[in-house]
Every structure is written in C-alpha cells, then in structure tokens.
Amino acid sequence: MAEPLVRMERISKSYGSVQALKDVTFTVAEREIVGLLGDNGAGKSTLIKILSGAVPASSGEIWFRGRKLEIRGTQDAIAAGIETIYQDSALVPQLSIARNLFLGREPLTGPAFLNRMDKATMNRVAGELLARVGITKRIPPTTPISSLSGGERQSVAIARAMYFDSDLIILDEPTNNLGVAETQGVLRFVRNARDSGHSCIFIAHNIHHVFQVVDRIVVLRRGEVVADAIDPKRTSIEEVERVITGLDEEAAA
Amino acid sequence: MSVRIGVEATGGEAAGPAPPSLLRRLTARPELGPFLLLVAELAVFGAINPQFLSPQNIGNVLTFTVELGLIALPMTLLMTSGEFDLSVGSVFGFSAVLMWTLFNTEVLSLPAAFLVALLVAAAIGLANGLFVTKLKIPSFLVTLGMLLVVRGTALFITDGFPQRTWKSSGEWIATVLVGDFYIGPLRVYMSLFWFVLAALLLGYVLTQTKAGNWIQASGGNPAAARARGVDVERTKIALFMLTSVMAALAGIISSIRTSAANPNSGMGYELEVIAMVVIGGTALMGGRGTIIGTVLGVFILRTMRNGIVLIGVPGLAYNIFIGAIILGMMSLHSWLDRRHQAGG
Ligand SMILES: Nc1ncnc2c1ncn2[C@@H]1O[C@H](COP(=O)(O)OP(=O)(O)OP(=O)(O)O)[C@@H](O)[C@H]1O
Ligand SMILES: [Mg+2]
C-alpha cells in the first residue's frame, strides 16, 4: 500500500499520573475516512488533540506525507493542512459567523501595516458557505455565534473546514446534540469530503453514524489500540461494541 | 427609557438579512444607553447652572478627562481580551516621578528621561503579561501585586515627597505633550489631541483589523482562539504593555501640566478607569468591547463629578452618583445582552 497521509507512531501521553495514551500507532491513508471509536475516556480526543497541536505528546512521532512533522502548536497543524472540528465546538460566541470562519486566517485588504480585515470578502464567502452546508434559514454572516442553535454552530465549524480545503479533516463527535437533518448534513459532508480527495478522522459515540460513512474503524481502549483494521462492511455493530467494551477478550479468556 | 431601547434592539436583530434601517442599527448598539445618559447629564447640569456650559468650565473638565481617557482607551482593549490592569494608577504616579527624578538629578535630558519612563512602563506591562499568561495567575492578583510594588517604589525613591518639575518650561517635549492653546475662548491642551488620536486609532484596531479580531476572540473563547492558531498569550501581553505605557504617558502629561510629580498621584484611578470602560458597554469578562462606549463612559463620570459640584451637591456625595451610574448601566448592558442572546 502507498504511503499513508498521516502516521502517528508510538504516541504516549500522560496527564500527570493519568496515562491517557500508551504507545498508540495510528494511520490515515489518502482519501480514507477512519472511524475512531472507544468508550468515554478511552483517549480519542487526546489522540486527535495531539495531531491538531492542541496538546503536546509525551513521546512519539508524527509523519505527514512521508515527512516528519513537528507539531508545536495549532498553527503548525493548520499550516500542514490538518483541520479540526472539536467536540466542544470551538467557536467564539461573541464574534460573528464570518469573523469565526476566518479567525486566525483573516484576509487583509489595503497596505499590510494597516492590518485591515477584508470584511466584505469575509461576509460574502461566509454567506456562500452557509448555503452550502445546508443552513436553510437565511442567516446573515454578521450574526454572532451566541444566537445560533447547536446544529447551526456545528455547521459553521464544518463550513470552515470546507473552505480551507484541508487535506485531513478531524471531526470529534460532530453529531452530538444534532437533530436528524443536521446529522445527515454532517454525514453527507464527510462523504463529500472523501469524494473530493480529502481524508477524515471521524469520532462518534453513535456507531450507526460511524458505520454509515467510514472506510475503516480503529478502536481505543484505556489508551491503547485494541483493533485498527475493522472493515465496517464485514463486521456487525455488535462485534464492534464488544471490542469497545472489552467483552471480546473476556469471552476469549 | 431602557425598556424602549431593548425592544427596538431586538427588532434590529429580528430584521434578518435585509440591511436594518439606520435607526434600528443605532438602537441595537450598546453605546446608545451611555450616550443618552451623557446627553441627559449635560442637559440637566446646563439647565440648573449655565456656568456649566461656559468655555472655561468645559476647558477645565476636558483637561483632566482626557488624561484619564488615555488610560481608559487601552484598558478597553485589554478588558476585551479578558484581562484588566489594577496597576495603572500606580504607573501613572511612578512614571512621572521617575522621569522627573532622572531629569532633576541631571542624569538624563527630559526627552531621554521621558523615553526611559515609557520603557520602564512597558517592562511593567510585560511583567504583568508574563505573570498572567505564563504562570496563569489571574490578572486581579498579578496587577494588584504590581500596584503595590510600583507604588512602593515611587514612594521609596522620593521618600514620599513630590518632585519639582519647574524646569519643564521651554522643553519641546512638554509643548508637544501638553502645550496649551485657545480655540476661541476655549483653552485646550495638546493632550486632547493625543486622546482623540488614540481613540481613533484604537477604535480602528478593535473593529477593523485582524489584531482586533484576535483581541475579541482571546477574551470571548481563548481555547477556540488558540485552536485557530491565534496567539492568545502574545495578544494579551501586548495589551498589558500598551496599557502600562499609556498610563505612564497620562501620568507624565498630568505632571507637566500641574508642575508636580507626586508619588501618590493616580491613587484609585484604576477603579475609576475600569468603571468608565464597563459603563461604556465593554464586558468585564472579555469578548466584547467598544471604544466609542469608553469615550462616553469617560465623559459620563467626569461630567458627573464636575456637574454635581457646580449645581451645589457636596463633592463628598460624588461616589453615590458614580455607584448608581455603574449599577444602572451594568443592569442595562446585561439586560440588553440577554435580549440579544435570546433574540437571534
Ligand atoms: N487536560 C486533562 N488533564 C488531565 N487528564 C485529562 C485531560 N484531558 C483528558 N484527560 C484524561 O485522559 C483520558 C482520555 O481522555 P479523552 O478526552 O482523550 O477521552 P475520549 O476518548 O475523548 O472520551 P469521550 O468519549 O468522553 O470524549 C481520560 O482519563 C481523561 O480523564
Ligand atoms: Mg472526547
């Protein structure tokens, strides 16, 4: 098989005395959607936070397109083409939709020393994106995030990932607290992302959602990888549930 | 009065994609309440005592108002980023003492001493910023500690005595900072010009620039801002430095104007400045700030202090009015905020 897009190698992470990850090796291929499953506290969020630069690993290496990547902060990950949609939706409630979409990468206009944001472009692009992620109600891009519903906020985060066209899009429980239509929108987005050449890491507690979109399932249990090549087309949901909870090992013992 | 504002503000929110009318946009702004309060103050004081609107009194009020305003403007940005600075009053007193001590003992020329005082203020701001961002100590504690250190230093190096500043006449830097001139019968100081310039500049930074977006994001949701690659720590440190430098500038301007550098001056200014900022509509906890509101807040408090004396209320009652204004305006802002959140 060809070089994977991302290879996280022997990643360990401790928070004080809590060992959140032990020697985890995890890969994502080009145009692959990987479902990352595991119980509460298994280490899923920790693993993807290391990849997106939000927390440093205690040890281990990250390879991206065959090159070793030093991720010292979120900027490094974003610059490499890794976009993350966090579980605790990472938007600034007081800022408008447009300002949130472009936060950290605001387009400028005029001489550089004026540091002037190109608000016209920001608002126009934001308006177009909102329509594309299926926010049906017409919401002006200058609306503050604080007056949006949970689903609308999630859609804004997704719109951001779409716009910046990152190679790898990480979604940490993007379907939490979403209605049926909004959930379908997220799943459709993930499928479209693969069709247009992106890779995804998809974390969700609802295994049905995971089964609908992913190519491969990786399971973490108490910080360790216990399965890394489950094919959802040949495996039943019940079998995966047993791997997640550890009942499979008890049965074998 | 406040009820009507709120209802119309929600109307503005509900207006949807069509650009809201000018009137609606106006009523949705947090600055409207402070603006009406200022107008009411001017009208009431002016009606009771015509002396209040005389050029001489206006000149008097402006003089000190803009000196506090020079601190309130950067404080607005700092508070928008989610921090505040209690050491500004002590830096106000200390910087003037430092400059005049260096000058009077003939260690440095006045412009050089001025520059050194600003650099020291920047270092104080840097220290505040590093303690807050690197050691994660709340700015309340850091800047309270800094207040004591800086005030103590000012008292220590002067033995508690004011520094004489009588040699400042004829120094170009004194003229540039606080030279006076007349507009008709109105006597104004150069500091008014610096205040207006700072207000325009910082208003532009906060609303129009990428830096302004970062400031608001740092205060609104630092974790989200960091996840987007915003350097929250650096943004806050820069604002602590700016606030400190502006407090030093205000203190120096004030000392040149009054020909006195007292190690005790600026005492209590920190709270008055923070009050001015929050009255104007900037959120104490960060995320939202308005320079226009702060300018209004600065004038509301200083006009009140001047006005109640002129209409014959004993000056000692001043704090009652200030307290009432703070409570009233905070209720209005929090109420508008809730309408805002629920209304979308
Ligand atoms: N900042 C932190 N400080 C200390 N411990 C932490 C921190 N973040 C996570 N942990 C611990 O690390 C372990 C893994 O947490 P993580 O958030 O990665 O789990 P998760 O698989 O994402 O769980 P969930 O499904 O509930 O989101 C847990 O035991 C958690 O308590
Ligand atoms: Mg998690």
Side-chain angles (χ1 to χ4, degrees), chain A residues 8 10 19 28 40 43 49 52 57 67 101 117 126 172 177 248 251:
Chain A
M8 299 179 76
R10 309 203 57 180
Q19 180 139 34
V28 182
N40 290 118
K49 278 180 181 165
S52 60
R67 272 202 261 151
L101 274 173
M117 281 190 300
D172 191 353
N177 311 318
D248 58 330

Side-chain angles (χ1 to χ4, degrees), chain A residues 74-75 78 83-84 86 90-95 99 103-106 108 114-117 119 138 140 144 146-147 160 164, chain B residues 16-17 204 206-214 216-217 220-221 224-231 286-288 340-341 344:
Chain A
T74 45
Q75 292 101 324
I78 293 172
E83 184 76 23
T84 311
Y86 288 96
L91 299 167
V92 181
Q94 295 91 340
L95 290 182
R99 279 172 176 260
L103 183 58
R105 274 177 290 182
E106 297 85 349
L108 297 181
L114 285 179
N115 198 243
R116 185 189 177 91
M117 281 190 300
K119 286 196 198 168
R138 182 90 168 78
S146 58
S147 46
R160 187 159 66 186
F164 289 107
Chain B
Y204 169 79
L206 188 57
T207 59
Q208 304 300 319
T209 69
K210 177 171 169 169
N213 208 36
W214 286 30
Q216 294 173 54
N221 184 349
R226 231 171 265 127
R228 305 308 306 159
V230 171
D231 197 332
R288 188 166 43 78
H340 198 65
Q341 306 247 337

Side-chain angles (χ1 to χ4, degrees), chain B residues 72-94:
Chain B
L73 295 173
M75 186 74 89
T76 305
L77 268 53
L78 181 63
M79 287 173 64
T80 306
S81 83
E83 307 294 341
F84 55 83
D85 186 352
L86 295 177
S87 69
V88 287
S90 65
V91 170
F92 181 98
F94 170 74

Side-chain angles (χ1 to χ4, degrees), chain A residues 87-136:
Chain A
Q87 178 172 17
D88 28 24
S89 178
L91 299 167
V92 181
Q94 295 91 340
L95 290 182
S96 70
I97 295 173
R99 279 172 176 260
N100 264 286
L101 274 173
F102 287 94
L103 183 58
R105 274 177 290 182
E106 297 85 349
L108 297 181
T109 177
F113 75 93
L114 285 179
N115 198 243
R116 185 189 177 91
M117 281 190 300
D118 188 351
K119 286 196 198 168
T121 301
M122 287 166 61
N123 288 334
R124 180 177 50 74
V125 171
E128 292 165 8
L129 280 172
L130 288 180
R132 264 173 66 195
V133 291
I135 292 190
T136 40

Side-chain angles (χ1 to χ4, degrees), chain B residues 119-133:
Chain B
L119 286 176
V120 170
I124 293 171
L126 177 65
N128 281 335
L130 289 175
F131 274 111
V132 169
T133 60

Side-chain angles (χ1 to χ4, degrees), chain A residues 15 18 20 39-46 87 173 205:
Chain A
Y15 294 105
V18 179
D39 239 333
N40 290 118
K44 307 177 298 291
S45 294
T46 302
Q87 178 172 17
E173 304 195 25
H205 279 289

